[in-house]
């Protein structure tokens, strides 16, 4: 399977200047190539190369490989745009957002990432050095730093392209690695149900609750601070906003990685598979009061689900996605379904048999039961198909996480 290793570069000021000039030149050329592709309606790399390759090499003085990557970069951007339009991620045809995306050519940021292949980039992994092509010539002995585990992954499995990225004045190489997978477990003894939520980030069918109150408090504090700085709007406030803009995302990503690692390790140790909810479109299906919308929008359930899926795939642990409908209202003991069973965000009390449990723990048990039933029937797919768009769905049933979102208070 393919993994990406982030390598932090430590260039000297002269080397950093050369790298910055390279990104700006390549993105300027890519923006021009994108305009040609839009004007001539040529979105395939081979055809676009006939119209742009010579001009790119002559006007921007790029090498052959760099020019090839610039053309491919423009075509890949239109491929991604087409996929987003088809999936409805940019609104309906004719909407303002849809027209904005389709009525003008794609433009690339001056600091946008630039792909490199092995002809443009060579690694000296034991010495922790790279030699990289720039518009001012080959820059050698660029130092990099990486953890020992990632260094071993680079040395053993690096294969394919790497992307040069500048982020907040720091330089990174995103290296592609082909990592071998473990033998898949085709006969799990059971499934570990995972309920994803806002108040509690993840709850397992074993009863383990990974609370998100600390993370939610930090998010709330960060939102208040951002609001104050935006209102102040002074140069120093803008500098602070720029410095802190990715802090919350980094913290969330770190927490999700830790949760995913723990969940997969537990499933692998006990010989079980992992059961997750298919939460596609959950944000569009759930309506909340205005104070609660920020908490829902910052809910990173998709990222956590992706982390669990790829770590499980690497460990050979099967992953099954289930329909989340009614899992918040179904009793895990007797199967009785009633809206009144969900007493509050935290508690579940069955109106039929009297069973009382934590609401998220009860939901995760229902998820585990559904996954086991799907597996027994032979539905072993690990990638759910997105559900069709529904119209007039005001009366449709919400999922457990939808109930979790509705019950979550603004002060998490």
């Amino acid at each position: 399977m393919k993994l990406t290793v982030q390598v932090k570069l430590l260039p000297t000021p002269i080397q950093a200047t050369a790298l910055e000039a390279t990104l700006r030149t390549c993105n300027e050329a890519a923006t021009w190539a994108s305009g040609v592709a839009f004007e001539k309606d040529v979105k395939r790399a081979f055809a676009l190369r006939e119209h742009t390759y010579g001009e790119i090499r002559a006007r921007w003085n790029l090498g052959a490989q760099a020019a090839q990557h610039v053309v491919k970069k423009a075509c890949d951007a239109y491929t991604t745009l087409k996929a987003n339009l088809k999936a409805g991620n940019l609104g309906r045809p004719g909407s303002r957002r849809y027209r904005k995306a389709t009525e003008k050519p794609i433009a690339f940021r001056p600091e946008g990432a630039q792909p490199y292949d092995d002809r443009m980039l060579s690694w000296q992994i034991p010495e922790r050095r790279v030699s990289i092509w720039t518009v001012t010539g080959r820059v050698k002995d660029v130092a990099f730093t990486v953890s020992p585990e990632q260094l071993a992954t680079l040395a053993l499995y690096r294969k394919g392209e790497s992307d040069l990225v500048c982020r907040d004045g720091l330089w990174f190489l995103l290296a592609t690695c082909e990592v071998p997978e473990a033998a898949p477990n085709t006969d799990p003894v059971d499934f570990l149900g995972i309920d994803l939520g806002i108040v509690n980030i993840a709850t397992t069918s074993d009863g383990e609750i990974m609370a998100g109150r600390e993370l939610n408090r930090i998010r709330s504090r960060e939102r208040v601070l951002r609001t104050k700085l935006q209102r102040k709007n002074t140069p120093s406030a803008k500098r602070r906003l720029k410095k802190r803009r990715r802090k919350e995302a980094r913290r969330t990503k770190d927490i999700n990685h830790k949760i995913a690692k723990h969940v997969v390790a537990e499933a692998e140790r006990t010989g079980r598979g992992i059961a997750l909810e298919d939460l596609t479109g959950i944000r569009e299906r759930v309506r909340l009061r205005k104070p609660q919308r920020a908490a829902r929008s910052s809910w990173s359930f998709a990222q956590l689900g992706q982390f669990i899926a790829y770590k499980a795939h690497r460990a050979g642990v099967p992953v099954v996605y289930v329909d989340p409908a009614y899992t918040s209202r179904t009793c895990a003991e007797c199967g009785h379904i009633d809206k009144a069973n969900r007493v509050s965000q935290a508690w579940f009390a069955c109106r039929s048999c009297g069973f009382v449990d934590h609401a998220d723990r009860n939901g995760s048990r229902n998820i585990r039961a559904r996954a086991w039933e799907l597996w027994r029937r032979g539905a072993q797919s690990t990638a759910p198909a997105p559900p069709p768009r529904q119209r007039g769905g005001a009366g449709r049933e919400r999922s457990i996480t939808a109930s979790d979102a509705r019950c979550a208070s603004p002060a998490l």
Side-chain angles (χ1 to χ4, degrees):
M1 65 179 296
K2 288 187 177 181
L3 291 181
T4 301
V5 174
Q6 180 174 276
V7 178
K8 184 178 180 180
L9 298 180
L10 304 173
T12 64
I14 296 177
Q15 293 171 342
T17 302
L19 294 177
E20 182 179 0
T22 301
L23 284 190
R24 290 185 177 276
T25 302
C26 290
N27 283 295
E28 182 181 343
T31 299
W32 176 81
S34 172
V36 174
F38 183 83
E39 180 182 352
K40 298 182 179 296
D41 194 23
V42 177
K43 309 294 173 58
R44 294 185 179 274
F46 183 79
L48 183 59
R49 196 177 298 127
E50 296 181 353
H51 297 281
T52 58
Y53 177 77
E55 184 71 16
I56 288 173
R57 293 209 60 186
R59 185 189 299 186
W60 285 278
N61 195 27
L62 296 182
Q65 288 301 113
Q68 299 275 12
H69 283 295
V70 163
V71 175
K72 186 175 182 298
K73 179 178 177 178
C75 293
D76 288 345
Y78 281 106
T79 302
T80 302
L81 174 63
K82 182 179 179 181
N84 284 326
L85 294 174
K86 185 176 180 180
N89 297 333
L90 298 175
R92 295 181 179 179
S95 65
R96 182 179 179 183
R97 189 180 178 193
Y98 190 98
R99 295 197 311 270
K100 184 179 180 181
T102 57
E103 291 180 352
K104 61 181 181 180
I106 295 174
F108 295 89
R109 295 180 295 106
E111 298 83 13
Q114 176 64 21
Y116 278 75
D117 58 23
D118 287 342
R119 296 185 183 182
M120 305 166 63
L121 174 69
S122 59
W123 297 78
Q124 294 84 45
I125 293 178
E127 296 79 15
R128 301 199 181 192
R129 295 286 190 275
V130 295
S131 173
I132 187 169
W133 172 88
T134 68
V135 291
T136 59
R138 193 85 174 187
V139 176
K140 299 181 179 181
D141 292 329
V142 180
F144 69 84
T145 181
V146 72
S147 68
E149 295 81 6
Q150 291 178 322
L151 189 67
T153 302
L154 280 174
L156 294 174
Y157 308 120
R158 190 196 67 80
K159 184 179 181 181
E161 294 183 354
S162 301
D163 289 342
L164 177 65
V165 177
C166 181
R167 190 183 302 140
D168 296 335
L170 301 176
W171 292 93
F172 300 92
L173 278 173
L174 307 182
T176 304
C177 298
E178 287 281 356
V179 180
E181 304 171 12
N185 181 7
T186 58
D187 189 23
V189 297
D190 200 351
F191 278 85
L192 181 64
I194 308 295
D195 176 79
L196 306 179
I198 295 177
V199 176
N200 298 313
I201 299 178
T203 304
T204 70
S205 54
D206 290 345
E208 186 175 5
I209 298 176
M210 302 163 204
R213 297 186 185 278
E214 180 181 359
L215 177 61
N216 289 323
R217 282 196 296 268
I218 294 172
R219 283 175 172 168
S220 179
R221 187 169 66 246
E222 289 287 335
R223 283 196 296 270
V224 172
L225 179 58
R226 280 198 302 269
T227 302
K228 290 181 179 179
L229 292 174
Q230 289 168 352
R231 288 176 179 173
K232 196 171 184 180
N233 200 31
T234 60
S236 61
K238 292 179 180 178
R239 286 195 297 270
R240 288 194 65 187
L241 279 171
K242 185 177 180 180
K243 185 177 180 180
R244 301 181 68 89
R245 62 180 177 173
R246 290 194 176 93
K247 188 174 183 180
E248 180 180 330
R250 290 196 302 269
R251 181 184 293 110
T252 302
K253 187 175 181 180
D254 178 65
I255 291 175
N256 285 340
H257 265 301
K258 291 177 179 177
I259 292 176
K261 184 177 180 180
H262 174 76
V263 167
V264 172
E266 180 64 20
E268 184 181 15
R269 183 185 67 83
T270 55
R272 291 181 288 180
I274 295 177
L276 293 172
E277 301 166 285
D278 179 11
L279 298 178
T280 305
I282 184 66
R283 286 193 174 97
E284 289 74 21
R285 297 199 303 269
V286 179
R287 294 183 179 180
L288 297 176
R289 296 190 301 272
K290 190 173 182 179
Q292 297 173 319
R293 293 173 189 168
R296 179 195 61 179
S297 298
S298 61
W299 179 26
S300 57
F301 65 89
Q303 185 186 74
L304 178 56
Q306 290 171 0
F307 288 171
I308 292 175
Y310 97 78
K311 291 178 188 294
H313 189 58
R314 184 177 181 182
V317 176
V319 178
V320 171
Y321 292 81
V322 304
D323 183 2
Y326 298 101
T327 52
S328 63
R329 303 178 180 182
T330 303
C331 177
E333 290 291 326
C334 68
H336 176 67
I337 303 175
D338 192 342
K339 182 178 180 179
N341 286 348
R342 185 72 181 257
V343 179
S344 65
Q345 186 278 324
W347 291 104
F348 178 93
C350 182
R351 301 302 182 189
S352 177
C353 67
F355 172 71
V356 177
D357 196 4
H358 191 281
D360 292 342
R361 188 183 300 116
N362 177 79
S364 63
R365 291 179 61 190
N366 289 325
I367 294 168
R368 182 207 66 82
R370 291 187 181 186
W372 184 243
E373 183 63 27
L374 283 173
W375 187 268
R376 290 175 58 188
R377 296 207 306 258
Q380 302 178 9
S381 173
T382 59
R389 283 186 169 272
Q390 300 286 341
R391 293 186 178 181
R396 297 181 66 216
E397 180 60 29
R398 303 300 205 272
S399 67
I400 170 67
T401 31
S403 301
D404 189 6
R406 290 200 307 274
C407 295
S409 61
L412 297 176

